[in-house]
Amino acid sequence: MRRKIRKAAAGVRRACRQDAGMVTSEYAMGIIAAVGFALLLYEVVTSGQVRAELQSIVKKALSARM
């Protein structure tokens, strides 16, 4: 029984050691996508209507009675 467990554990360790990560070009594409999303989010958050809503939320939170 122990031999089977050790053999199975060795198989799992071998499988975990395989290189399954991203290559440099995939990292670059991921970074480009993240920067694009960040720019889009920045534009939305800094738009006039969203900015006004955020300011009103902060004002309400700061003026709340405890």
Side-chain angles (χ1 to χ4, degrees):
M1 183 68 169
R2 284 187 177 186
R3 180 176 276 164
K4 287 183 182 182
I5 292 173
R6 286 182 185 156
K7 192 173 185 179
V12 170
R13 281 193 297 267
R14 246 182 279 117
C16 290
R17 288 183 190 149
Q18 293 176 354
D19 186 25
M22 294 191 300
V23 295
T24 304
S25 61
E26 290 171 332
Y27 277 115
M29 293 304 294
I31 290 171
I32 290 170
V35 168
F37 181 71
L39 286 173
L40 178 68
L41 186 61
Y42 177 77
E43 289 296 322
V44 168
V45 170
T46 58
S47 68
Q49 185 176 2
V50 174
R51 181 182 290 178
E53 288 294 323
L54 288 174
Q55 285 177 347
S56 71
I57 291 170
V58 170
K59 282 182 184 179
K60 286 178 186 177
L62 292 176
S63 64
R65 300 184 115 216
M66 291 191 183

